[in-house]
Amino acid sequence: MSNLKILVVDDDKHIAKLISLYMHKEGFETMEVYNGREAVDVFPAYAPFLVLLDLMLPGLNGYDVCKEIRKISSVPIIMLTAKGETFDKVRGLELGADDYIVKPFDPRELTARVKAVLRRYESNNAGNSVVAIDFPNLHIDPARHIVIYHGQELELPPKEYELLLILAQNPGQPMTRDDLLTACWGYDYPGDTRTVDVHIMRIREKLNKDDSWGIKTVWGIGYKLEVPK
């Protein structure tokens, strides 16, 4: 994983430099920024492989920065914060963050989390880039990370896209809520399976035409993409 770029966003310059020191020892390159607006501005040009994002920032807070990045990229985001309440964790992860670590943290835990998130991201991308998927009026191109629905490109946040892709890669196969939660949010996600239900509801609202296929609820289990035999 050497030479991968990490964007470090923290208004405490001492902490930002300390994080960079940890990352450099593991072979990563870093850029440090100290407020939310600057993070959003430098992100496209710097094109990091991962973002370490403090929650409490001047200007745009970490939640806002996460939302802005997720409009243009699915690169991993790990939130760093002194807040440890479950509500804050769930909110950050539902906005598209991939992991969450509470300050003060052990540098070994931070580097382990960074490597784990990058491995999961690379594994998902490798597995999803094999072949495009087509159903009537639906085209999913994992290589370009796009969904075409009735001839129009559909804008889906990363987690909605991942859920749809997993279901489309397994047509007709029931997927449990736990399996979907683990695949998209990771095994240590602090929320519950209602998160899956909320995201499936949002996907259904966007796939709202009368097609021969659809995301069906499998009562007592989860969901499947039902297609004509």
Side-chain angles (χ1 to χ4, degrees), residues 81-124:
T81 181
K83 290 190 174 182
E85 292 83 359
T86 298
F87 172 80
D88 296 302
K89 295 180 182 181
V90 171
R91 183 182 176 194
L93 292 167
E94 288 189 341
L95 287 174
D98 295 87
D99 203 353
Y100 193 108
I101 187 167
V102 178
K103 300 175 182 177
F105 45 78
D106 186 311
R108 292 170 297 180
E109 180 183 4
L110 177 62
T111 54
R113 294 280 192 97
V114 166
K115 291 178 179 180
V117 168
L118 283 171
R119 280 196 300 269
R120 189 167 73 229
Y121 180 75
E122 291 168 357
S123 175
N124 288 343

CSV table of all heavy atoms in Angstrom, one decimal, residues 81-124:
chain,number,residue,atom,x,y,z
A,81,THR,N,-12.9,11.8,15.8
A,81,THR,CA,-13.6,12.7,16.6
A,81,THR,C,-13.5,12.4,18.1
A,81,THR,O,-13.2,11.2,18.5
A,81,THR,CB,-15.1,12.8,16.3
A,81,THR,OG1,-15.8,13.7,17.1
A,81,THR,CG2,-15.7,11.4,16.4
A,82,ALA,N,-13.6,13.4,18.9
A,82,ALA,CA,-13.6,13.1,20.4
A,82,ALA,C,-15.0,12.6,20.8
A,82,ALA,O,-15.2,12.2,22.0
A,82,ALA,CB,-13.3,14.4,21.1
A,83,LYS,N,-16.0,12.7,20.0
A,83,LYS,CA,-17.3,12.2,20.3
A,83,LYS,C,-17.4,10.7,20.2
A,83,LYS,O,-17.0,10.2,19.2
A,83,LYS,CB,-18.4,12.9,19.4
A,83,LYS,CG,-18.6,14.4,19.7
A,83,LYS,CD,-19.8,14.9,19.0
A,83,LYS,CE,-20.1,16.3,19.4
A,83,LYS,NZ,-21.3,16.8,18.7
A,84,GLY,N,-18.0,10.1,21.2
A,84,GLY,CA,-18.1,8.6,21.1
A,84,GLY,C,-19.5,8.1,21.1
A,84,GLY,O,-19.7,6.9,21.2
A,85,GLU,N,-20.5,9.0,21.1
A,85,GLU,CA,-21.8,8.5,21.2
A,85,GLU,C,-22.2,7.8,20.0
A,85,GLU,O,-21.8,8.1,18.8
A,85,GLU,CB,-22.8,9.7,21.4
A,85,GLU,CG,-22.6,10.4,22.8
A,85,GLU,CD,-21.5,11.4,22.8
A,85,GLU,OE1,-20.9,11.5,21.8
A,85,GLU,OE2,-21.3,12.0,23.8
A,86,THR,N,-23.1,6.7,20.2
A,86,THR,CA,-23.5,5.9,19.0
A,86,THR,C,-24.2,6.8,18.0
A,86,THR,O,-24.0,6.5,16.8
A,86,THR,CB,-24.5,4.8,19.5
A,86,THR,OG1,-23.8,4.0,20.4
A,86,THR,CG2,-25.0,4.0,18.3
A,87,PHE,N,-25.0,7.8,18.4
A,87,PHE,CA,-25.7,8.6,17.4
A,87,PHE,C,-24.7,9.2,16.4
A,87,PHE,O,-25.0,9.3,15.2
A,87,PHE,CB,-26.5,9.7,18.1
A,87,PHE,CG,-27.1,10.7,17.2
A,87,PHE,CD1,-28.3,10.4,16.5
A,87,PHE,CD2,-26.5,11.9,17.0
A,87,PHE,CE1,-28.8,11.4,15.6
A,87,PHE,CE2,-27.0,12.9,16.1
A,87,PHE,CZ,-28.2,12.6,15.4
A,88,ASP,N,-23.6,9.8,16.9
A,88,ASP,CA,-22.7,10.4,16.1
A,88,ASP,C,-22.0,9.4,15.1
A,88,ASP,O,-21.8,9.7,14.0
A,88,ASP,CB,-21.6,11.1,16.9
A,88,ASP,CG,-22.1,12.2,17.8
A,88,ASP,OD1,-22.7,13.2,17.2
A,88,ASP,OD2,-22.0,12.2,19.0
A,89,LYS,N,-21.8,8.2,15.6
A,89,LYS,CA,-21.2,7.2,14.8
A,89,LYS,C,-22.1,6.8,13.6
A,89,LYS,O,-21.8,6.8,12.5
A,89,LYS,CB,-20.9,5.9,15.6
A,89,LYS,CG,-19.8,6.1,16.6
A,89,LYS,CD,-19.5,4.8,17.4
A,89,LYS,CE,-18.5,5.0,18.4
A,89,LYS,NZ,-18.2,3.7,19.2
A,90,VAL,N,-23.4,6.6,14.0
A,90,VAL,CA,-24.4,6.2,13.0
A,90,VAL,C,-24.6,7.3,12.0
A,90,VAL,O,-24.6,7.0,10.8
A,90,VAL,CB,-25.7,5.8,13.7
A,90,VAL,CG1,-26.8,5.6,12.6
A,90,VAL,CG2,-25.5,4.6,14.5
A,91,ARG,N,-24.7,8.5,12.4
A,91,ARG,CA,-24.9,9.6,11.5
A,91,ARG,C,-23.7,9.7,10.5
A,91,ARG,O,-23.9,9.9,9.3
A,91,ARG,CB,-25.0,10.9,12.2
A,91,ARG,CG,-25.3,12.1,11.3
A,91,ARG,CD,-25.4,13.4,12.1
A,91,ARG,NE,-25.6,14.5,11.1
A,91,ARG,CZ,-25.5,15.8,11.5
A,91,ARG,NH1,-25.2,16.1,12.7
A,91,ARG,NH2,-25.7,16.8,10.6
A,92,GLY,N,-22.5,9.7,11.0
A,92,GLY,CA,-21.4,9.7,10.1
A,92,GLY,C,-21.3,8.6,9.1
A,92,GLY,O,-21.1,8.8,7.9
A,93,LEU,N,-21.6,7.4,9.5
A,93,LEU,CA,-21.5,6.3,8.6
A,93,LEU,C,-22.6,6.3,7.6
A,93,LEU,O,-22.5,5.9,6.5
A,93,LEU,CB,-21.5,5.0,9.5
A,93,LEU,CG,-20.2,4.7,10.3
A,93,LEU,CD1,-20.5,3.6,11.3
A,93,LEU,CD2,-19.1,4.4,9.4
A,94,GLU,N,-23.8,6.7,8.0
A,94,GLU,CA,-24.9,6.8,7.1
A,94,GLU,C,-24.7,7.9,6.0
A,94,GLU,O,-25.3,7.8,5.0
A,94,GLU,CB,-26.2,7.0,7.8
A,94,GLU,CG,-26.7,5.7,8.6
A,94,GLU,CD,-28.1,5.8,9.2
A,94,GLU,OE1,-28.6,7.0,9.3
A,94,GLU,OE2,-28.7,4.8,9.5
A,95,LEU,N,-23.9,8.9,6.3
A,95,LEU,CA,-23.6,9.9,5.4
A,95,LEU,C,-22.5,9.4,4.4
A,95,LEU,O,-22.3,10.1,3.4
A,95,LEU,CB,-23.1,11.2,6.0
A,95,LEU,CG,-24.2,12.0,6.8
A,95,LEU,CD1,-23.5,13.2,7.5
A,95,LEU,CD2,-25.2,12.5,5.8
A,96,GLY,N,-22.0,8.3,4.6
A,96,GLY,CA,-21.0,7.7,3.6
A,96,GLY,C,-19.6,7.4,4.2
A,96,GLY,O,-18.8,7.0,3.4
A,97,ALA,N,-19.4,7.7,5.5
A,97,ALA,CA,-18.1,7.4,6.0
A,97,ALA,C,-17.9,5.9,6.1
A,97,ALA,O,-18.9,5.1,6.2
A,97,ALA,CB,-17.9,8.0,7.4
A,98,ASP,N,-16.7,5.4,6.0
A,98,ASP,CA,-16.4,3.9,6.0
A,98,ASP,C,-16.0,3.4,7.4
A,98,ASP,O,-16.2,2.2,7.6
A,98,ASP,CB,-15.3,3.6,5.0
A,98,ASP,CG,-15.8,4.0,3.6
A,98,ASP,OD1,-15.6,5.1,3.2
A,98,ASP,OD2,-16.3,3.0,2.9
A,99,ASP,N,-15.6,4.3,8.2
A,99,ASP,CA,-15.2,3.8,9.6
A,99,ASP,C,-15.1,5.1,10.5
A,99,ASP,O,-15.3,6.2,10.0
A,99,ASP,CB,-13.8,3.1,9.5
A,99,ASP,CG,-13.6,2.2,10.7
A,99,ASP,OD1,-14.5,2.2,11.7
A,99,ASP,OD2,-12.6,1.5,10.8
A,100,TYR,N,-14.9,4.8,11.8
A,100,TYR,CA,-15.1,5.9,12.8
A,100,TYR,C,-14.1,5.5,13.9
A,100,TYR,O,-14.2,4.4,14.4
A,100,TYR,CB,-16.5,5.9,13.2
A,100,TYR,CG,-17.0,7.0,14.0
A,100,TYR,CD1,-17.8,8.0,13.5
A,100,TYR,CD2,-16.6,7.2,15.4
A,100,TYR,CE1,-18.3,9.0,14.2
A,100,TYR,CE2,-17.0,8.3,16.1
A,100,TYR,CZ,-17.9,9.2,15.5
A,100,TYR,OH,-18.4,10.2,16.3
A,101,ILE,N,-13.3,6.4,14.3
A,101,ILE,CA,-12.3,6.2,15.4
A,101,ILE,C,-12.4,7.3,16.3
A,101,ILE,O,-12.4,8.5,15.9
A,101,ILE,CB,-10.9,5.9,14.9
A,101,ILE,CG1,-10.0,5.4,16.0
A,101,ILE,CG2,-10.3,7.0,14.1
A,101,ILE,CD1,-8.7,4.8,15.5
A,102,VAL,N,-12.4,7.1,17.6
A,102,VAL,CA,-12.6,8.1,18.7
A,102,VAL,C,-11.2,8.5,19.2
A,102,VAL,O,-10.4,7.6,19.6
A,102,VAL,CB,-13.5,7.6,19.8
A,102,VAL,CG1,-13.7,8.6,20.9
A,102,VAL,CG2,-14.9,7.2,19.2
A,103,LYS,N,-11.0,9.8,19.3
A,103,LYS,CA,-9.8,10.3,20.0
A,103,LYS,C,-10.0,10.2,21.5
A,103,LYS,O,-11.1,10.3,22.0
A,103,LYS,CB,-9.6,11.8,19.6
A,103,LYS,CG,-9.5,12.1,18.2
A,103,LYS,CD,-9.4,13.6,18.0
A,103,LYS,CE,-9.3,14.0,16.5
A,103,LYS,NZ,-9.3,15.5,16.4
A,104,PRO,N,-8.9,10.0,22.3
A,104,PRO,CA,-7.5,9.8,21.7
A,104,PRO,C,-7.4,8.3,21.3
A,104,PRO,O,-8.1,7.4,21.8
A,104,PRO,CB,-6.7,10.0,23.0
A,104,PRO,CG,-7.5,9.7,24.1
A,104,PRO,CD,-8.9,10.1,23.7
A,105,PHE,N,-6.7,8.1,20.2
A,105,PHE,CA,-6.5,6.7,19.7
A,105,PHE,C,-5.1,6.3,19.7
A,105,PHE,O,-4.2,7.1,19.7
A,105,PHE,CB,-7.1,6.7,18.2
A,105,PHE,CG,-6.6,7.9,17.4
A,105,PHE,CD1,-5.3,7.9,16.8
A,105,PHE,CD2,-7.4,8.9,17.1
A,105,PHE,CE1,-4.8,8.9,16.1
A,105,PHE,CE2,-6.9,10.0,16.3
A,105,PHE,CZ,-5.7,10.0,15.8
A,106,ASP,N,-4.9,5.0,19.7
A,106,ASP,CA,-3.6,4.4,19.6
A,106,ASP,C,-3.2,4.4,18.2
A,106,ASP,O,-3.9,4.1,17.3
A,106,ASP,CB,-3.7,2.9,20.1
A,106,ASP,CG,-2.3,2.2,20.2
A,106,ASP,OD1,-1.6,2.3,19.2
A,106,ASP,OD2,-2.1,1.6,21.2
A,107,PRO,N,-2.0,4.9,17.9
A,107,PRO,CA,-1.5,5.0,16.5
A,107,PRO,C,-1.5,3.7,15.8
A,107,PRO,O,-1.8,3.6,14.6
A,107,PRO,CB,-0.1,5.6,16.6
A,107,PRO,CG,0.3,5.4,18.0
A,107,PRO,CD,-0.9,5.5,18.8
A,108,ARG,N,-1.3,2.6,16.5
A,108,ARG,CA,-1.4,1.3,15.9
A,108,ARG,C,-2.8,0.9,15.4
A,108,ARG,O,-3.0,0.3,14.4
A,108,ARG,CB,-0.8,0.2,16.9
A,108,ARG,CG,0.7,0.3,17.2
A,108,ARG,CD,1.1,-0.6,18.3
A,108,ARG,NE,0.4,-0.2,19.5
A,108,ARG,CZ,0.6,-0.9,20.7
A,108,ARG,NH1,1.4,-1.9,20.7
A,108,ARG,NH2,0.0,-0.4,21.8
A,109,GLU,N,-3.8,1.3,16.3
A,109,GLU,CA,-5.1,1.1,15.9
A,109,GLU,C,-5.5,1.9,14.6
A,109,GLU,O,-6.2,1.4,13.7
A,109,GLU,CB,-6.1,1.4,17.0
A,109,GLU,CG,-7.6,1.2,16.6
A,109,GLU,CD,-8.6,1.6,17.7
A,109,GLU,OE1,-8.1,2.1,18.7
A,109,GLU,OE2,-9.8,1.4,17.5
A,110,LEU,N,-5.1,3.2,14.6
A,110,LEU,CA,-5.4,4.0,13.5
A,110,LEU,C,-4.8,3.5,12.2
A,110,LEU,O,-5.5,3.4,11.2
A,110,LEU,CB,-4.8,5.4,13.7
A,110,LEU,CG,-5.0,6.4,12.5
A,110,LEU,CD1,-6.4,6.7,12.3
A,110,LEU,CD2,-4.3,7.7,12.9
A,111,THR,N,-3.5,3.1,12.2
A,111,THR,CA,-2.9,2.5,11.0
A,111,THR,C,-3.6,1.2,10.6
A,111,THR,O,-3.8,0.9,9.4
A,111,THR,CB,-1.4,2.3,11.2
A,111,THR,OG1,-1.2,1.5,12.3
A,111,THR,CG2,-0.7,3.7,11.3
A,112,ALA,N,-4.0,0.4,11.6
A,112,ALA,CA,-4.7,-0.9,11.3
A,112,ALA,C,-6.0,-0.6,10.6
A,112,ALA,O,-6.4,-1.3,9.7
A,112,ALA,CB,-4.8,-1.7,12.5
A,113,ARG,N,-6.7,0.4,11.1
A,113,ARG,CA,-8.0,0.8,10.5
A,113,ARG,C,-7.9,1.3,9.1
A,113,ARG,O,-8.6,0.9,8.2
A,113,ARG,CB,-8.7,1.8,11.4
A,113,ARG,CG,-9.1,1.4,12.8
A,113,ARG,CD,-10.4,0.6,12.8
A,113,ARG,NE,-10.9,0.5,14.1
A,113,ARG,CZ,-11.8,1.2,14.7
A,113,ARG,NH1,-12.4,2.2,14.0
A,113,ARG,NH2,-12.2,1.0,15.9
A,114,VAL,N,-6.9,2.1,8.9
A,114,VAL,CA,-6.6,2.6,7.5
A,114,VAL,C,-6.4,1.5,6.6
A,114,VAL,O,-6.9,1.4,5.5
A,114,VAL,CB,-5.4,3.6,7.6
A,114,VAL,CG1,-4.9,3.9,6.1
A,114,VAL,CG2,-5.8,4.9,8.2
A,115,LYS,N,-5.5,0.6,7.0
A,115,LYS,CA,-5.2,-0.6,6.1
A,115,LYS,C,-6.4,-1.5,5.8
A,115,LYS,O,-6.6,-1.9,4.7
A,115,LYS,CB,-4.0,-1.4,6.7
A,115,LYS,CG,-2.7,-0.6,6.7
A,115,LYS,CD,-1.6,-1.4,7.3
A,115,LYS,CE,-0.2,-0.7,7.3
A,115,LYS,NZ,0.8,-1.5,7.9
A,116,ALA,N,-7.2,-1.7,6.9
A,116,ALA,CA,-8.3,-2.6,6.7
A,116,ALA,C,-9.4,-1.9,5.8
A,116,ALA,O,-9.9,-2.6,4.9
A,116,ALA,CB,-9.0,-2.8,8.1
A,117,VAL,N,-9.6,-0.6,5.9
A,117,VAL,CA,-10.6,0.0,5.1
A,117,VAL,C,-10.1,0.0,3.6
A,117,VAL,O,-10.9,-0.2,2.7
A,117,VAL,CB,-10.8,1.5,5.6
A,117,VAL,CG1,-11.6,2.3,4.5
A,117,VAL,CG2,-11.6,1.5,6.8
A,118,LEU,N,-8.8,0.3,3.4
A,118,LEU,CA,-8.2,0.3,2.1
A,118,LEU,C,-8.3,-1.1,1.4
A,118,LEU,O,-8.7,-1.3,0.3
A,118,LEU,CB,-6.8,0.7,2.1
A,118,LEU,CG,-6.6,2.2,2.2
A,118,LEU,CD1,-5.1,2.6,2.4
A,118,LEU,CD2,-7.1,3.0,0.9
A,119,ARG,N,-8.1,-2.2,2.2
A,119,ARG,CA,-8.2,-3.5,1.7
A,119,ARG,C,-9.6,-3.8,1.3
A,119,ARG,O,-9.9,-4.4,0.2
A,119,ARG,CB,-7.7,-4.5,2.8
A,119,ARG,CG,-6.2,-4.7,2.9
A,119,ARG,CD,-5.9,-6.0,3.7
A,119,ARG,NE,-6.4,-6.0,5.0
A,119,ARG,CZ,-5.7,-5.5,6.1
A,119,ARG,NH1,-4.5,-5.0,5.9
A,119,ARG,NH2,-6.3,-5.5,7.3
A,120,ARG,N,-10.6,-3.4,2.2
A,120,ARG,CA,-12.0,-3.7,1.8
A,120,ARG,C,-12.4,-3.0,0.6
A,120,ARG,O,-13.1,-3.5,-0.3
A,120,ARG,CB,-12.9,-3.3,3.0
A,120,ARG,CG,-14.3,-3.8,2.9
A,120,ARG,CD,-15.1,-3.6,4.2
A,120,ARG,NE,-15.4,-2.3,4.5
A,120,ARG,CZ,-15.1,-1.7,5.7
A,120,ARG,NH1,-14.5,-2.5,6.6
A,120,ARG,NH2,-15.4,-0.5,6.0
A,121,TYR,N,-11.9,-1.7,0.5
A,121,TYR,CA,-12.3,-0.9,-0.7
A,121,TYR,C,-11.7,-1.5,-2.0
A,121,TYR,O,-12.4,-1.6,-3.0
A,121,TYR,CB,-11.8,0.5,-0.5
A,121,TYR,CG,-12.0,1.5,-1.6
A,121,TYR,CD1,-13.3,2.0,-1.8
A,121,TYR,CD2,-11.0,1.9,-2.5
A,121,TYR,CE1,-13.6,2.9,-2.9
A,121,TYR,CE2,-11.3,2.8,-3.5
A,121,TYR,CZ,-12.5,3.3,-3.7
A,121,TYR,OH,-12.8,4.1,-4.7
A,122,GLU,N,-10.4,-1.9,-1.9
A,122,GLU,CA,-9.8,-2.5,-3.1
A,122,GLU,C,-10.4,-3.8,-3.5
A,122,GLU,O,-10.6,-4.1,-4.6
A,122,GLU,CB,-8.3,-2.6,-2.8
A,122,GLU,CG,-7.5,-1.3,-2.7
A,122,GLU,CD,-6.1,-1.5,-2.2
A,122,GLU,OE1,-5.8,-2.6,-1.8
A,122,GLU,OE2,-5.4,-0.5,-2.1
A,123,SER,N,-10.7,-4.6,-2.5
A,123,SER,CA,-11.4,-5.9,-2.7
A,123,SER,C,-12.7,-5.7,-3.4
A,123,SER,O,-13.1,-6.4,-4.3
A,123,SER,CB,-11.5,-6.7,-1.4
A,123,SER,OG,-12.2,-7.9,-1.6
A,124,ASN,N,-13.5,-4.8,-2.9
A,124,ASN,CA,-14.8,-4.5,-3.4
A,124,ASN,C,-14.7,-4.0,-4.9
A,124,ASN,O,-15.5,-4.5,-5.8
A,124,ASN,CB,-15.6,-3.5,-2.6
A,124,ASN,CG,-16.1,-4.0,-1.3
A,124,ASN,OD1,-16.1,-5.2,-1.1
A,124,ASN,ND2,-16.4,-3.1,-0.4
